[in-house]
Amino acid sequence: MKWTQLLSGKRLGMEEYHEDRKHERTDFQRDYDRLIFSSPFRRLQNKTQVFPLPGHIFVHNRLTHSLEVSSVGRSLGNNVAKGLMEKYPDGSVNFPEIGSIVSAACLAHDMGNPPFGHSGERAISAYFRDGNGKSLKSDIKREEGRWEDFLHFEGNANAFRLLTHQFVGRRKGGFALTYSTVASIIKYPYSSLYSGPKGKFGFFQSEEETYLKVAEELGIDKDPEDPNKYLRYPLVYLVEAADDICYQVMDIEDAFKLHILNSDEAVGMLLNFFEGERRVRIEKIMRMVDDVNEQLAYLRSCIIGLLVDECSRIFLENEEGILNGTYNTPLIDMLEGQPFKAYTECSEMAKARIYCAKEVLDIELAGYYIFSHLIDTLSKAVINPKNSYSKLLLQRIPEQYDTKSLTTYGKIQCVLDYISGMTDVYALDLYRKITGMSLPAV
């Protein structure tokens, strides 16, 4: 792959309007603005990240997480851009815009995630694998053979659909983002047919043609080891690293606020990223304040700076392998020495104590039950639209979702488009209303 082709300001769905005119903002900066002012992005403020939405204690939600990832992603992109400009000084490639591309992609990376955190994804898959959704398998496979899209529902693929699909009454190309920004969110560049046992994939089969168009425009090569898959777009590694850096460090901070970890445990986990004279200096500065929250905030900033520098270095050292497909490892997995040891310890602790904490399990249990009921009820309505109850319920679904699709696959995809776009609060409210648990004031 070649940088001269990989960085393209052409917009998906608006190719005929593309021209080389100059704006005060570049196309990639306009992508960032377009995303941050959008309704789907705003709704992230009411979507669970890991812990339930806050009461008296504020923890991260999808919105705050995405903003932080975007900030880290911009730093990674700027570091890499600086390194590439030193390596290729002729000025033929617009490397300075890498920071803008990565920061915009980071804003969008979680926009396809359903309510209730990752449990939402698992609940959707479970409905089709183990629940009433199994009854739809024969109809969907007979029509278009796209059963795997539902069996392994994936937030990353749903983000690609949200950003690129032309919903009813909406413009061609979805958000009409630049090809480079869209490509930067595809962590798994293949369809659900090739998702494997982990169920990870980058686009639904309904969006495969769109992805092929993106790949052709940017010159993204096929995986030499598997012709059914493509190589990762290079900037995906930076978006992924920004996400990895943020959620690992922020989860520890949130766990402390919720008293899952005590102050000594939280501070100790973060201090372990450093050793020698640097650790001594950091400890000295940290002890200048007594407030543990301020101490954790200082440690967090030091760790992010360390990991940004390390991941930038790893990317630049492996740039040739990234472009020719011989490198395919997440940057964070290539950490060495004390940072690697500390990051691994944080990951293991998170699995053992954070992700199985009562607060996290409760939201997962609720998500499973609420999702199963919503999918079941709405699916029956779109499949049997002439029933009296269906007519009433279908009026709740916004017009942008194609409830009149001619295929079972299209009808179910419409339901999942609607449900995955809900906030936690909206999903719970709708569930209560259609079950009769909550009624409007009379």
Side-chain angles (χ1 to χ4, degrees):
M1 297 183 283
K2 302 182 186 304
W3 286 115
T4 50
Q5 189 174 358
L6 288 167
L7 303 182
S8 170
K10 188 179 291 187
R11 294 191 174 279
L12 186 67
M14 299 183 66
E15 293 83 359
E16 62 268 33
Y17 301 107
H18 180 69
E19 54 184 271
D20 293 327
R21 59 176 177 164
K22 298 294 183 182
H23 297 270
E24 291 298 320
R25 295 173 297 152
T26 67
D27 286 310
F28 308 118
Q29 290 166 354
R30 292 161 71 197
D31 280 349
Y32 183 95
D33 297 343
R34 187 169 293 187
L35 288 163
I36 210 164
F37 281 97
S38 69
S39 295
F41 183 76
R42 286 197 299 275
R43 287 198 292 270
L44 294 179
Q45 69 180 312
N46 263 326
K47 286 192 175 186
T48 295
Q49 173 64 18
V50 173
F51 299 105
L53 295 178
H56 64 286
I57 298 175
F58 189 85
V59 292
H60 288 84
N61 54 41
R62 288 280 179 201
L63 181 72
T64 53
H65 170 72
S66 297
L67 289 169
E68 289 169 349
V69 173
S70 180
S71 177
V72 173
R74 177 179 283 106
S75 297
L76 283 164
N78 289 342
N79 280 3
V80 166
K82 182 180 178 181
L84 292 175
M85 284 188 288
E86 292 174 356
K87 186 175 181 179
Y88 307 105
D90 63 1
S92 61
V93 181
N94 194 12
F95 289 127
E97 287 301 323
I98 288 179
S100 295
I101 297 170
V102 175
S103 64
C106 288
L107 282 185
H109 83 285
D110 270 354
M111 284 175 63
N113 284 59
F116 306 111
H118 287 294
S119 65
E121 291 176 285
R122 291 191 288 269
I124 293 173
S125 297
Y127 174 79
F128 295 101
R129 184 181 62 250
D130 308 318
N132 292 342
K134 289 192 296 184
S135 63
L136 301 168
K137 181 177 180 179
S138 58
D139 287 343
I140 291 173
K141 289 187 75 70
R142 183 178 66 252
E143 292 170 350
E144 300 182 64
R146 295 172 171 176
W147 176 246
E148 290 80 8
D149 283 357
F150 305 139
L151 196 60
H152 306 295
F153 185 84
E154 226 289 331
N156 191 246
N158 200 47
F160 184 70
R161 175 174 170 80
L162 174 66
L163 295 174
T164 63
H165 180 69
Q166 184 178 10
F167 289 95
V168 177
R170 303 299 176 89
R171 67 180 169 192
K172 184 180 178 183
F175 276 59
L177 300 175
T178 61
Y179 279 78
S180 293
T181 297
V182 167
S184 297
I185 70 164
I186 307 297
K187 291 173 65 175
Y188 315 103
Y190 44 86
S191 76
S192 60
L193 284 174
Y194 311 104
S195 59
K198 291 186 177 181
K200 296 293 186 180
F201 58 95
F203 47 87
F204 299 121
Q205 294 169 62
S206 54
E207 275 68 58
E208 184 168 8
E209 185 177 338
T210 302
Y211 178 78
L212 296 180
K213 186 177 181 180
V214 172
E216 182 179 3
E217 170 68 24
L218 300 178
I220 302 175
D221 294 333
K222 285 190 174 182
D223 187 336
E225 297 182 1
D226 188 344
N228 296 308
K229 300 180 179 181
Y230 280 78
L231 298 178
R232 275 183 163 192
Y233 180 71
L235 302 189
V236 168
Y237 288 97
L238 300 180
V239 175
E240 179 182 51
D243 190 27
D244 289 340
I245 290 169
C246 285
Y247 78 73
Q248 202 61 263
V249 178
M250 305 310 173
D251 286 352
I252 291 176
E253 223 176 326
D254 286 346
F256 166 72
K257 291 178 181 178
L258 293 170
H259 306 295
I260 295 171
L261 299 177
N262 62 40
S263 59
D264 289 340
E265 289 173 320
V267 169
M269 294 292 294
L270 299 185
L271 270 176
N272 281 344
F273 278 86
F274 308 98
E275 58 184 344
E277 292 183 7
R278 187 172 186 186
R279 173 165 176 152
V280 172
R281 182 173 59 83
I282 286 174
E283 284 191 84
K284 182 178 179 180
I285 296 173
M286 182 188 72
R287 302 301 179 193
M288 292 172 64
V289 295
D290 296 325
D291 189 309
V292 178
N293 288 304
E294 284 297 305
Q295 292 177 346
L296 290 175
Y298 171 66
L299 289 173
R300 176 231 303 152
S301 67
C302 293
I303 292 168
I304 289 176
L306 169 70
L307 296 182
V308 164
D309 288 345
E310 286 296 297
C311 289
S312 302
R313 174 187 60 80
I314 294 166
F315 183 96
L316 290 168
E317 288 178 354
N318 292 280
E319 181 231 353
E320 183 177 340
I322 288 171
L323 292 179
N324 65 31
T326 56
Y327 179 93
N328 55 13
T329 307
L331 302 179
I332 207 77
D333 290 349
M334 296 297 288
L335 292 174
E336 298 174 344
Q338 192 63 28
F340 174 78
K341 181 181 177 182
Y343 189 89
T344 302
E345 289 173 351
C346 287
S347 299
E348 292 173 351
M349 185 278 300
K351 292 176 185 176
R353 295 184 58 186
I354 294 179
Y355 303 143
C356 63
K358 176 180 177 296
E359 295 89 345
V360 178
L361 294 178
D362 285 349
I363 199 74
E364 185 152 347
L365 290 169
Y368 264 83
Y369 197 80
I370 292 169
F371 262 70
S372 294
H373 190 85
L374 288 179
I375 298 172
D376 205 39
T377 306
L378 291 168
S379 296
K380 290 176 182 177
V382 296
I383 291 173
N384 304 288
K386 294 183 179 180
N387 293 349
S388 298
Y389 180 71
S390 297
K391 291 178 181 179
L392 289 172
L393 189 57
L394 290 176
Q395 293 180 48
R396 286 298 306 261
I397 301 179
E399 295 180 356
Q400 71 191 70
Y401 303 116
D402 187 13
T403 59
K404 297 178 182 179
S405 174
L406 300 178
T407 65
T408 303
Y409 174 86
K411 292 177 184 294
I412 299 304
Q413 198 168 42
C414 153
V415 169
L416 295 183
D417 286 337
Y418 178 40
I419 291 177
S420 64
M422 294 178 182
T423 64
D424 292 21
V425 174
Y426 184 96
L428 178 59
D429 181 60
L430 180 61
Y431 167 77
R432 285 173 171 168
K433 286 177 177 175
I434 65 177
T435 55
M437 294 171 61
S438 173
L439 295 173
V442 178

